Amino acid sequence: MHPVLFEIGSFPLGTYGLLLAIAFFAGTALAKRQGRLDGLAPAAITDLAIAMLIAAIVGSKLLMVVVDLINGAPLREVFSLGTLRAGGAIHGGIIAATAVFFWKLRKGQGLPLRITGDALVPGVALGQAIGRLGCFSAGCCYGTESHASWATTFTDPLAHAFSGTPLGIPLHPVQLYNTAANLAVMAVLLLARPKRAFQGQIFALYFLVEGLGRVITETWRGDIDRGTGWLGWAWLSTGRLTGVAFMMLGLGLWIFWNRRKGTT
């Protein structure tokens, strides 16, 4: 669509990068608002969010590199300017950010683990939804060919140069499907918050519904370089593999924390 929003001299302002910044600020604002419901300090939430953002950026690119290497991509392509520009594999970012979340709270940040997780995840879902609009603008994470009335045809050569996006072919706007799915995840979490039966329930619920949503939307993904055919099954992509893992993690946390309702 519009990989480069505009240029200032010779410096291009990428639409993806701008939307990623908006996603971070919007997600953090929602997390702080949710945190206030449980008396969490907004400044502590912001500090944690910044650490998780850095981890998410690194984790997204790392998972993308690992998948490319496993798939036999040439080193010159894996470690290239295109890799630096690419957003990466979103679930790699979530995995890394979750690891940093647990690590920082175990170190003692003045934030209780479970209710902090409950506060953060609606903002994470919102950030993902906005970030997917960045993917749509850049042309990355594109869909399979489609002849539906809402199919999108990419024409900007930069989209092909940066992400290998097919040009002139109508595709499923799977990035927008993911945006809708992430907004639905956010809505589910916000609606469930007043009915929370135990601390950590919203955090666990996020992994359940996010994983399910990703398993479904992978149906229309067309960028096969993200990793497909795991364990010899053509349908098992990296997104579906991590989506199933997320659902298992969410279910495990739900059961474990439900049995420990009286602790934090």
Side-chain angles (χ1 to χ4, degrees), residues 61 63 70 81 98 103 108 130 148 170 182-183 233 240 247:
K61 294 185 183 299
L63 180 58
I70 291 175
L81 183 60
T98 301
W103 174 67
I130 298 173
N182 290 134
L183 289 175
W233 295 326
R240 280 203 169 110
M247 294 168 68

Side-chain angles (χ1 to χ4, degrees), residues 215-249:
V215 167
I216 294 172
T217 58
E218 280 288 296
T219 303
W220 302 284
R221 285 286 290 269
D223 51 329
I224 59 174
D225 60 339
R226 73 193 187 282
T228 56
W230 291 101
L231 304 178
W233 295 326
W235 61 270
L236 189 56
S237 63
T238 302
R240 280 203 169 110
L241 190 63
T242 54
V244 170
F246 277 23
M247 294 168 68
M248 293 174 62
L249 173 62

Side-chain angles (χ1 to χ4, degrees), residues 39-58:
L40 301 179
I45 292 288
T46 299
D47 290 344
L48 180 59
I50 292 173
M52 292 174 65
L53 172 65
I54 295 172
I57 293 172
V58 174

